[in-house]
Amino acid sequence: DEATLKEHLSPITLPVQLILFTQAFGGSESGDVAKQILNEIASLNDKITVVDKSFVLDTEDKAKYKVDKAPAIVILSNDVDTRMRLYGAPTGYEFVGLVEAIIVAGTGKIELDPETLKWIQAVNTPTHIQVFSTPT
C-alpha cells in the first residue's frame, strides 16, 4: 500500500531523477501506464522527480542514455547516470525492481552478498546484462 511504499522509500537522501522516454504517436499504452506509476512514486518522496522525454523528438538525450526502445526509464542518482534502465511499464514483478533501483540510486547502498560483490568487481571487460520478465 501507499504508506508502506512511502516508508520503504524514506531512506533516500540523494536526488533521484527518473527520465521517462515515451512515444506519443504510434507508441504503446504502456508509456502512459509507466508515467502514471512513476508520478505516483515521485509523489511519495520529494527527492524523486520524473522528467518526461520524447522517444522521437529528444534524439540527443536518447543517444546520450543509449535508449533504443520506448517506454524507457533511465535512473539518475544526484544527476549521475546509474546505467540502470527499465523498459516497458513497471507493473507486477517489474514494480519491485523499479522501487529497488530507485532506493539504490537514492541511498548509494547496494545490498548484495559480499561474494556477489567480489564477483562483480572482478569483471574487467564491458558487460551488458539484461533481465527479462513476462507479465502474468
Side-chain angles (χ1 to χ4, degrees):
D1 72 353
E2 189 175 299
T4 304
L5 181 56
K6 187 172 185 168
E7 183 179 329
H8 203 58
L9 296 169
S10 67
I12 292 175
T13 58
L14 301 169
V16 177
Q17 281 186 308
L18 305 174
I19 303 175
L20 175 63
F21 287 86
T22 57
Q23 186 172 340
F25 299 104
S28 70
E29 295 174 10
S30 59
D32 292 334
V33 173
K35 182 174 182 166
Q36 180 181 355
I37 291 168
L38 294 186
N39 285 334
E40 286 181 23
I41 291 171
S43 74
L44 300 175
N45 187 302
D46 62 0
K47 293 282 188 187
I48 304 169
T49 56
V50 179
V51 179
D52 292 311
K53 296 286 182 178
S54 167
F55 183 76
V56 176
L57 302 176
D58 292 314
T59 54
E60 282 185 33
D61 287 322
K62 192 168 86 170
K64 175 182 178 179
Y65 296 115
K66 297 179 173 78
V67 169
D68 60 356
K69 319 175 228 334
I73 302 165
V74 175
I75 302 173
L76 303 185
S77 172
N78 205 18
D79 293 325
V80 176
D81 187 357
T82 64
R83 298 184 307 170
M84 291 187 280
R85 307 285 186 268
L86 287 91
Y87 293 96
T91 58
Y93 294 121
E94 291 85 5
F95 181 77
V96 175
L98 170 64
V99 171
E100 292 303 317
I102 291 170
I103 291 169
V104 167
T107 63
K109 297 176 184 165
I110 302 172
E111 294 184 19
L112 292 175
D113 184 276
E115 275 298 308
T116 304
L117 279 174
K118 190 175 174 182
W119 178 81
I120 292 170
Q121 290 166 344
V123 176
N124 58 8
T125 57
T127 304
H128 183 92
I129 300 172
Q130 293 181 316
V131 178
F132 294 89
S133 59
T134 305
T136 55

